[in-house]
Amino acid sequence: MKIAGRQEEIALLQSLIEKDESSFVAVYGRRRIGKTYLVRQVYENEMVFECSGVLEENMEQQLENFWRSLNEINPQSQPPLPPKTWLEAFFQLRAYLNTQKQGTKKVIFLDEIPWFETLRSGFLAALDNFWNQYCTKRSDIILVICGSAASWVIDKVINSRGGLHNRLTHRIQLMPFTLGETKAFFELKNVKLSLKDIAQIYMCVGGVPFYLKDIKAGDSVAQILDQLFYHKQAILKNEFQNLYAALFKNNTFHEKIVEALSTKNKGLTRNEIIEIAGVKGGGGLTTVLEELTQCGFIMPIYPINKKKENCLYRLIDEYSLFYFKFIKDGKAKSSWAQITESPGFKIWSGYAFENLCFKHTDQLKKAFGISGVITNAYSYVSKGKDGRQGIQIDLIIDRADNCVNILEVKFHNTEYEVSEAYARQLLDKASVFKEHTHSKKNVFITMLSVFGVKKNEHYLMAVTNQLLIDDLFN
């Protein structure tokens, strides 16, 4: 099995083979995240039937596709006639399964399931009937459904109030690779890059396997990113036009919100989103925010007071951020070298590195030795008023063990050196933070950098401890 990372998901899928009962699994996630590849790799020896829905085809063509897929693996001198209903199609599948060897697990894999469900087709009712009236009476079936239209899978299957309500036995939301999984993926392809280079690529495209699969051994970061974004056949040049459309039915709404969030690094409140995106509030906006969150495009960040109305929604999808910053509206340069010379590059790289840290708080907690401690991660901005100093903190890890880590994140090319002025600024930040938030917790200042921070007298005066980029890869 050639697959990097995904250890928890692999372990779950493999455990179903040993279960003495049938299982119904939904695997969902964004486009090109590796859902189909994962299922095929894990169940290579157990797969007895696989069929993928056909994009934007009618019920008759979906049924024909299903029938032909079944006949392809079960050739007969007199095959059954093409089904006219989904109920009939699943009965043909049942007849085929009844001919299979008893006592071994059999995987039925229905990929891109949202495309099967055409208007008034009855597909979901027939699927429910197949699972409830056939699979649950056996102990040897693993029914796997999969879809890139994550909002459809969540609404129609996972949160279904109809026939499929509570039918699923397991669900797997496949998210982008972590930094550690990205490193393992590169090693599988014999691509040898430094941790900083891997982080740099991740900051541009995230951990989406499809975006990373064509990276070649021996290429520099500049060559890799030119091939992804700027060459004539670059796979990510026009990816944005397909990304949200593949996931969400009313994708224009989602794109407006994402674009609005791209204008403010620290995030926007719900009211600010309504104002900047020019959209209406209400249930529709709530649904879209939930869908974008579930698919890993945005992150709700609750401030120290944890009041819902003060929640900030932050855009954390690397590709979307890069697209709005350097590609949309003709912003695209001709090469990565030109990007690095642009005025906004340093600001973007600092913010993108912050996002990396927000997405790897589990790894940060492990580095702190507090994996089992409940935490809340957020940034903090307080405007100065009445003669009091304002502060801005990149990342705060607020811990249930009576401690707070204020993280200062530095994406530098060399060892960072703390000056006397910066040390005093850090101490002031901690003091103002405690004053403004009335926190009684112990406040520790932590530096997180690529190549470390020199432990000079100013560092020793202000900084409690430091982490390296290596800690994000654990």
Side-chain angles (χ1 to χ4, degrees):
M1 181 166 54
K2 281 191 172 184
I3 191 164
R6 310 299 194 202
Q7 295 307 308
E8 290 185 12
E9 294 85 355
I10 291 171
L12 172 58
L13 292 173
Q14 288 180 331
S15 72
L16 304 183
I17 299 173
E18 307 302 323
K19 278 185 173 288
D20 190 28
E21 60 185 6
S22 292
S23 302
F24 187 4
V25 190
V27 181
Y28 63 103
R30 66 186 284 172
R31 157 187 165 95
R32 294 174 165 172
I33 204 67
K35 302 179 295 296
T36 302
Y37 184 79
L38 174 68
V39 174
R40 285 176 176 168
Q41 286 289 304
V42 174
Y43 290 137
E44 181 181 8
N45 298 321
E46 291 78 24
M47 193 86 69
V48 297
F49 178 66
E50 177 183 346
C51 184
S52 180
V54 185
L55 177 63
E56 295 180 348
E57 295 292 358
N58 59 30
M59 175 182 170
E60 182 180 355
Q61 289 162 322
Q62 301 289 354
L63 283 168
E64 181 183 347
N65 172 53
F66 188 92
W67 174 74
R68 289 188 182 278
S69 298
L70 190 55
N71 286 338
E72 190 172 41
I73 60 168
N74 185 35
Q76 302 175 60
S77 56
Q78 289 185 316
L81 295 173
K84 295 182 179 179
T85 67
W86 277 113
L87 198 61
E88 186 181 353
F90 278 106
F91 268 90
Q92 290 183 0
L93 176 58
R94 288 166 66 161
Y96 162 66
L97 292 172
N98 289 337
T99 68
Q100 298 300 294
K101 181 181 177 181
Q102 300 296 309
T104 59
K105 273 294 195 306
K106 303 162 187 63
V107 174
I108 297 99
F109 180 30
L110 302 180
D111 200 5
E112 295 300 355
I113 186 174
W115 297 344
F116 285 115
E117 174 69 356
T118 55
L119 186 64
R120 291 188 291 275
S121 68
F123 170 78
L124 286 177
L127 177 65
D128 172 57
N129 178 270
F130 172 67
W131 167 253
N132 201 41
Q133 298 299 319
Y134 181 77
C135 300
T136 58
K137 295 177 180 179
R138 302 173 58 132
S139 60
D140 60 346
I141 301 293
I142 302 176
L143 174 59
V144 183
I145 61 173
C146 194
S148 294
S151 61
W152 188 97
V153 176
I154 293 167
D155 183 48
K156 300 290 187 180
V157 180
I158 294 172
N159 296 332
S160 170
R161 292 185 176 87
L164 288 174
H165 180 63
N166 285 337
R167 301 298 194 210
L168 287 178
T169 60
H170 301 84
R171 59 180 179 176
I172 295 175
Q173 182 184 11
L174 210 58
M175 300 298 285
F177 284 151
T178 62
L179 280 170
E181 288 176 322
T182 302
K183 180 174 178 285
F185 182 78
F186 284 152
E187 289 172 349
L188 197 64
K189 293 165 55 63
N190 201 34
V191 174
K192 298 175 182 178
L193 294 167
S194 69
L195 298 187
K196 180 179 183 294
D197 285 348
I198 295 173
Q200 182 78 84
I201 294 168
Y202 196 103
M203 285 157 57
C204 299
V205 302
V208 179
F210 185 84
Y211 299 169
L212 305 170
K213 70 180 182 66
D214 292 325
I215 291 175
K216 300 192 295 291
D219 283 353
S220 67
V221 170
Q223 288 174 304
I224 289 167
L225 294 173
D226 282 350
Q227 289 162 6
L228 289 173
F229 288 104
Y230 304 115
H231 285 186
K232 189 174 181 181
Q233 303 301 326
I235 65 168
L236 298 185
K237 187 178 289 185
N238 300 310
E239 170 68 3
F240 191 86
Q241 283 67 39
N242 301 314
L243 178 57
Y244 292 88
L247 280 166
F248 309 111
K249 186 175 180 180
N250 300 313
N251 59 291
T252 303
F253 199 170
H254 298 75
E255 290 175 15
K256 282 183 178 180
I257 291 173
V258 168
E259 184 168 11
L261 291 174
S262 73
T263 65
K264 187 72 174 292
N265 288 349
K266 299 300 179 184
L268 298 172
T269 64
R270 183 186 177 98
N271 288 336
E272 287 172 334
I273 290 171
I274 292 170
E275 180 181 352
I276 294 174
V279 298
K280 295 181 180 179
L285 177 59
T286 300
T287 298
V288 170
L289 290 173
E290 287 175 354
E291 289 176 347
L292 287 169
T293 300
Q294 291 217 28
C295 291
F297 289 98
I298 68 175
M299 175 187 290
I301 299 174
Y302 293 92
I304 194 167
N305 60 20
K306 297 184 175 65
K307 290 182 179 178
K308 192 171 183 180
E309 61 268 23
N310 293 330
C311 172
L312 284 175
Y313 292 93
R314 178 173 177 137
L315 179 59
I316 58 168
D317 178 60
E318 291 80 7
Y319 173 75
S320 298
L321 279 166
F322 191 86
Y323 171 81
F324 285 114
K325 186 66 179 178
F326 298 115
I327 298 177
K328 188 178 183 292
D329 296 333
K331 294 176 184 175
K333 308 294 183 181
S334 60
S335 70
W336 175 249
Q338 286 189 351
I339 291 287
T340 59
E341 296 298 322
S342 64
F345 175 76
K346 187 175 180 180
I347 296 172
W348 165 82
S349 60
Y351 174 61
F353 192 51
E354 278 182 39
N355 269 348
L356 224 61
C357 298
F358 266 105
K359 294 177 80 168
H360 290 78
T361 53
D362 286 344
Q363 287 77 10
L364 293 177
K365 288 172 66 175
K366 184 177 180 181
F368 284 130
I370 57 168
S371 294
V373 176
I374 297 172
T375 61
N376 181 35
Y378 53 88
S379 55
Y380 184 81
V381 178
S382 177
K383 295 179 180 179
K385 60 180 180 179
D386 300 329
R388 293 192 299 178
Q389 180 183 354
I391 59 170
Q392 179 172 313
I393 300 174
D394 299 337
L395 172 60
I396 293 171
I397 295 183
D398 194 354
R399 301 158 42 173
D401 60 353
N402 201 41
C403 297
V404 171
N405 286 98
I406 292 178
L407 274 84
E408 287 289 304
V409 178
K410 302 295 180 184
F411 192 70
H412 280 244
N413 292 322
T414 58
E415 184 182 43
Y416 188 80
E417 187 167 355
V418 178
S419 66
E420 181 180 0
Y422 183 54
R424 296 195 181 282
Q425 181 184 340
L426 292 177
L427 291 171
D428 286 343
K429 275 189 180 184
S431 176
V432 173
F433 172 79
K434 291 195 73 169
E435 179 189 347
H436 286 195
T437 61
H438 308 292
S439 176
K440 304 299 182 184
K441 295 183 177 182
N442 300 305
V443 176
F444 303 130
I445 298 173
T446 301
M447 300 288 294
L448 195 163
S449 61
V450 178
F451 296 109
V453 183
K454 187 176 181 179
K455 293 184 178 180
N456 59 19
E457 60 181 307
H458 310 307
Y459 170 96
L460 296 173
M461 177 176 72
V463 180
T464 306
N465 57 351
Q466 65 169 303
L467 302 177
L468 296 175
I469 194 172
D470 309 50
D471 294 305
L472 297 176
F473 283 79
N474 289 331

